[in-house]
Amino acid sequence: MRLPTFTQNPTRPVEIKDRSVSDLMDAMQYTGFQGRKLAESVKAWENMLKDENVTIFMGLSGAMVPAGMRKVITYLIENRLIDCLVSTGANIFHDCHEALGLKHYVGSHMANDEELFEHGVDRIYDVFAYEEEFRNTDHFIADFAKRHDGEQYSSREFIRLLGKEISERGDSQSIIASAYKHNVPIFIPALCDSSIGIGLTIARRFGCNVNIDQIKDVDEITQMVELSEKTGVIYVGGGVPKNFIQQTEVVASIMGHEVAGHEYAIQYTADVPHWGGLSGCTFDEAVSWGKIAKEAKKVQVFADATIALPIVTQALYEKTKDQVRKTPSFNWEEGQANIYFETL
């Protein structure tokens, strides 16, 4: 005997025809496995953008900028499909590198690494770059830091200043320049674990000391959550950026604020839950910590982000390009965040 409550919604084979990416994503909602999850993530993100008073946080890990995702992230910032970016330092370093006119190159994962080393070429799987050019970018950051000798900043404050510098150089494709122009805060909670940290170390060795206050980072991003009526999260990979955003709910709760967890949650990851690591852990597990709301609209896509992110963003472009969104923006005065809304 059939159980009708289980069989109300038949799968629908995908048709191959002349259509947009967003239309394909709509069709894939009736397929299975990670194809359906990819389509569901587009729908969840679209609904998040339609929901009023939602602050959207993105966590960015993995070598996304060297892998060609730079303009995708820039689009998300410029069109306010996200309201805050938490990134590894490496992605922002590589963004600065390209902003200075330097390149990453199509390579091969089959290359001879000893030969690459002899020619001063670094390999990121199948992407190449020149070590000497990376060091030039290290020194650019060091020279920038020297102009701020003796100052203390959160990573958000420091990256905003660096974004202003890049913006004034005229690079419109830079993640940090776009974030500066559109008032989207960028946090790097493990800034020292990157070539930005190397640049700051170079500056310190030459007598310049710029102190990055990472505890101030925790306070600033938690204030954003405390001021937001609702929050949504999107994770590209996992790692430090994911946990840094997740823990805001715990910190806010400890500080006496009524929070119920992030209300929307999307993740694109190649990691899996059964190793016990954060990058692959499910959003259901996060509910036990109070980091994700019990009723949250949550979708995890187990896929390579360099495949998923361009497809999802293209679909969102088609679905939201004419949409008007009231975006939350933040400023900080004397250590205290304020929220205001703009229509985009």
Side-chain angles (χ1 to χ4, degrees):
M1 178 179 176
R2 290 185 177 180
L3 299 174
T5 56
F6 295 151
T7 55
Q8 293 293 310
N9 197 8
T11 59
R12 303 178 193 175
V14 174
E15 295 183 41
I16 304 303
K17 59 183 180 180
D18 185 10
R19 65 164 91 197
S20 66
V21 174
S22 59
D23 186 46
L24 177 62
M25 286 294 100
D26 288 342
M28 287 173 62
Q29 290 183 77
Y30 303 97
T31 62
F33 313 140
Q34 299 311 303
R36 188 203 300 169
K37 291 301 179 186
L38 190 67
E40 287 177 352
S41 76
V42 173
K43 191 65 177 177
W45 200 334
E46 182 186 9
N47 289 340
M48 199 181 338
L49 293 166
K50 290 178 179 177
D51 199 345
E52 290 191 357
N53 301 327
V54 177
T55 302
I56 303 173
F57 296 84
M58 170 173 270
L60 183 67
S61 65
M64 293 295 107
V65 172
M69 300 295 107
R70 184 181 187 228
K71 291 185 180 180
V72 175
I73 304 302
T74 299
Y75 176 83
L76 297 175
I77 289 170
E78 289 180 343
N79 294 275
R80 290 306 294 268
L81 274 66
I82 61 173
D83 303 310
C84 175
L85 179 65
V86 178
S87 178
T88 60
N91 275 310
I92 301 307
F93 172 82
H94 289 289
D95 176 59
C96 291
H97 189 70
E98 294 203 2
L100 296 173
L102 302 169
K103 304 294 182 184
H104 300 87
Y105 299 92
V106 175
S108 170
H109 70 286
M110 299 295 289
N112 183 313
D113 290 291
E114 292 180 6
E115 185 179 358
L116 292 178
F117 177 75
E118 290 172 0
H119 288 82
V121 174
D122 297 333
R123 179 169 72 90
I124 308 169
Y125 187 60
D126 60 357
V127 174
F128 295 163
Y130 285 109
E131 173 64 20
E132 183 179 357
E133 292 183 349
F134 278 160
R135 295 189 182 197
N136 289 338
T137 305
D138 292 336
H139 282 283
F140 164 78
I141 292 170
D143 291 341
F144 173 78
K146 289 174 185 176
R147 289 155 42 194
H148 301 276
D149 184 21
E151 298 293 337
Q152 178 170 293
Y153 303 110
S154 65
S155 69
R156 175 197 65 81
E157 291 171 315
F158 182 76
I159 295 304
R160 179 169 173 79
L161 290 170
L162 188 57
K164 181 176 184 290
E165 175 78 8
I166 295 295
S167 176
E168 291 171 352
R169 287 171 172 261
D171 188 328
S172 61
Q173 301 302 323
S174 167
I175 293 170
I176 61 172
S178 297
Y180 168 73
K181 292 176 184 176
H182 296 276
N183 197 31
V184 172
I186 296 179
F187 292 89
I188 305 178
L191 186 142
C192 61
D193 182 29
S194 71
S195 283
I196 298 178
I198 292 173
L200 291 172
T201 301
I202 294 168
R204 175 171 289 194
R205 288 291 183 93
F206 283 91
C208 167
N209 186 23
V210 176
N211 184 30
I212 304 301
D213 186 347
Q214 303 266 225
I215 305 305
K216 190 175 183 182
D217 284 340
V218 176
D219 194 14
E220 287 188 345
I221 196 170
T222 301
Q223 288 178 30
M224 293 179 68
V225 170
E226 291 167 349
L227 290 171
S228 299
E229 183 177 321
K230 304 174 187 174
T231 54
V233 296
I234 299 157
Y235 300 127
V236 178
V240 172
K242 179 181 179 183
N243 188 68
F244 188 72
I245 297 171
Q246 295 278 74
Q247 73 177 16
T248 56
E249 294 288 330
V250 176
V251 178
S253 176
I254 291 171
M255 296 302 175
H257 291 265
E258 292 287 337
V259 290
H262 301 299
E263 296 192 31
Y264 292 87
I266 300 168
Q267 184 178 17
Y268 306 98
T269 182
D271 289 309
V272 291
H274 56 258
W275 303 123
L278 179 86
S279 296
C281 82
T282 65
F283 287 135
D284 293 322
E285 180 181 311
V287 170
S288 74
W289 294 75
K291 297 174 179 178
I292 300 294
K294 291 182 292 185
E295 306 82 10
K297 300 80 175 173
K298 46 189 184 289
V299 182
Q300 283 179 284
V301 185
F302 292 95
D304 183 337
T306 62
I307 299 171
L309 198 56
I311 294 171
V312 168
T313 306
Q314 181 66 35
L316 289 169
Y317 161 75
E318 294 166 4
K319 287 175 171 289
T320 66
K321 60 184 176 181
D322 298 320
Q323 179 178 317
V324 176
R325 180 180 177 235
K326 188 171 72 170
T327 61
S329 293
F330 298 82
N331 58 32
W332 281 262
E333 297 177 2
E334 298 181 358
Q336 183 61 46
N338 298 295
I339 187 172
Y340 61 97
F341 292 89
E342 299 176 299
T343 300
L344 184 68

